[in-house]
Amino acid sequence: MQLNKSITIKHLLIDNKKCIGLHFYANKILNALIKELKGVAWNEEFNMYYIPNNKQNLDNIYNLFRGVAWINSKYFFQHSRSKELSETFDISWYRKRLKHSNFKLCPESYLQKLELKKYANSTVKSYVSCFEDFINYYHDKIIDNLNENDIRYYLQWLVQNNRSNAYINQAVNSIKFYYEIVLRMPNRFYNIERPRKEKKLPIVLSKENVKKIIEHTNNIKHRCIVSLLYSAGLRRSELLNLKLTDIDSSRMLIHIKDGKGNKDRYTLLSKNTLNDLRRTELKNKQY
């Protein structure tokens, strides 16, 4: 039987209690069935039905609507990254820091969730730094009790102190991570404003300048490095992790693994770069 009805389940925080929100378009059958859920109620603010968030109620939702409606859970379950980072999670810098006695440290639960979600070490440092700046701005307040207005006042303070748009966006990410991921309250801060993206033209070398750089390299190895960075558009970390097996000369492609955002991609391989790589490999074999 094809299901043409759907119910989207979401995390809600109502009266400081975690709830399961049930969002669907008006339908007589669904309206009648949903009232069979024990403890179900209507919330005007979110314009949807909700029940307390626990495993039994989640099972009841699936059992009640099985064969009647499709349960859309993509906003409810947190999906971990599909690929593991090649680096080891390292917070030794966090433990070794010297901090004043009245300095509020990032909660252990925050660090644990960053590790479980397999965030890159560079991202961990940024998130921890930004979040500690935030909680120390409200040093005398309990962070779990802060609301959207508190966050807005803090962001306004950052703007008034001429912090960059990049820093402010990172601050928003670090704050949302705590409330929405660590505390699992994803509906609290949907409407937090972000700075408008700056539109700046990149500084791009002309083709002639790039040719001059390649022609004036000291050796064939340096020539390959510059060529790969320019012609294939590799980032420095991607170049450092590149292996011989990632070069597909038959299709003239380079397979980039674990690139930005922990994603794989293919990029073009130029004929001149391929010839230089082969010369480098031949030279290495001679030694």
Side-chain angles (χ1 to χ4, degrees):
M1 178 177 63
Q2 184 177 1
L3 303 180
N4 55 8
K5 306 177 185 67
S6 68
I7 297 175
T8 300
I9 57 176
K10 299 181 178 182
H11 285 282
L12 296 180
L13 186 72
I14 299 175
D15 296 329
N16 285 323
K17 295 180 180 179
K18 295 179 183 179
C19 301
I20 303 172
L22 298 102
H23 181 264
F24 59 91
Y25 291 106
N27 178 281
K28 290 183 179 180
I29 297 176
L30 299 183
N31 282 337
L33 282 176
I34 204 165
K35 293 176 183 177
E36 296 182 16
L37 290 171
K38 186 177 180 180
V40 71
W42 175 261
N43 183 273
E44 291 289 345
E45 180 184 359
F46 298 109
N47 195 33
M48 66 179 75
Y49 287 98
Y50 70 93
I51 57 175
N53 187 343
N54 57 56
K55 186 180 184 304
Q56 184 59 57
N57 279 341
L58 188 61
D59 290 341
N60 290 341
I61 291 171
Y62 280 95
N63 291 332
L64 179 63
F65 295 103
R66 182 174 289 114
V68 179
W70 172 63
I71 305 299
N72 178 7
S73 61
K74 74 173 185 176
Y75 300 106
F76 190 82
F77 294 110
Q78 298 292 336
H79 298 285
S80 60
R81 297 183 176 190
S82 58
K83 292 172 58 59
E84 290 189 4
L85 292 172
S86 57
E87 61 184 10
T88 302
F89 186 79
D90 179 23
I91 56 170
S92 57
W93 57 271
Y94 177 84
R95 308 295 182 198
K96 295 175 181 177
R97 296 180 305 166
L98 295 175
K99 292 294 181 183
H100 298 295
S101 58
N102 60 347
F103 186 87
K104 292 174 72 172
L105 296 174
C106 183
E108 287 291 332
S109 57
Y110 195 98
L111 297 169
Q112 183 186 49
K113 187 63 72 171
L114 285 168
E115 182 177 10
L116 292 174
K117 300 286 286 184
K118 302 184 185 299
Y119 275 67
N121 286 318
S122 58
T123 304
V124 171
K125 285 187 177 182
S126 297
Y127 272 40
V128 170
S129 176
C130 289
F131 190 66
E132 286 186 338
D133 286 346
F134 169 66
I135 61 180
N136 281 282
Y137 180 81
Y138 289 110
H139 187 271
D140 297 328
K141 291 189 176 183
I142 299 173
I143 60 175
D144 290 5
N145 294 339
L146 297 176
N147 55 39
E148 280 195 32
N149 285 334
D150 293 322
I151 297 175
R152 286 194 175 95
Y153 290 140
Y154 174 68
L155 297 178
Q156 185 179 19
W157 179 79
L158 292 179
V159 171
Q160 292 171 351
N161 282 270
N162 298 318
R163 298 307 297 264
S164 68
N165 286 1
Y167 180 86
I168 295 173
N169 273 314
Q170 192 76 293
V172 173
N173 291 339
S174 70
I175 294 168
K176 285 168 66 68
F177 184 86
Y178 179 70
Y179 293 104
E180 298 181 0
I181 306 300
V182 179
L183 296 186
R184 301 194 68 176
M185 299 175 178
N187 65 294
R188 291 189 68 178
F189 307 113
Y190 282 152
N191 300 319
I192 292 295
E193 297 83 1
R194 291 178 179 268
R196 294 178 64 183
K197 290 185 177 179
E198 297 174 322
K199 294 183 179 180
K200 295 182 179 180
L201 293 175
I203 300 174
V204 181
L205 293 175
S206 67
K207 189 175 181 180
E208 290 73 21
N209 287 335
V210 174
K211 282 185 176 180
K212 288 180 180 179
I213 293 174
I214 295 175
E215 290 170 358
H216 288 80
T217 50
N218 295 328
N219 53 53
I220 188 65
K221 180 180 179 181
H222 293 167
R223 182 185 179 94
C224 289
I225 290 173
V226 177
S227 297
L228 285 168
L229 290 172
Y230 173 70
S231 64
L234 269 63
R235 298 178 177 86
R236 183 179 62 176
S237 60
E238 294 170 346
L239 178 64
L240 292 172
N241 293 326
L242 196 65
K243 296 180 176 60
L244 189 62
T245 53
D246 298 330
I247 306 296
D248 187 346
S249 58
S250 62
R251 294 189 295 168
M252 296 301 290
L253 294 173
I254 302 174
H255 187 192
I256 309 300
K257 299 176 182 177
D258 297 327
K260 187 175 181 180
N262 203 28
K263 296 177 182 177
D264 289 4
R265 74 177 192 279
Y266 282 97
T267 187
L268 296 176
L269 171 66
S270 75
K271 187 175 181 180
N272 289 338
T273 304
L274 176 61
N275 291 335
D276 287 340
L277 288 170
R278 282 173 172 166
R279 286 174 57 196
T280 304
E281 181 65 14
L282 181 61
K283 187 175 181 180
N284 291 336
K285 286 181 179 179
Q286 291 176 349
Y287 289 97

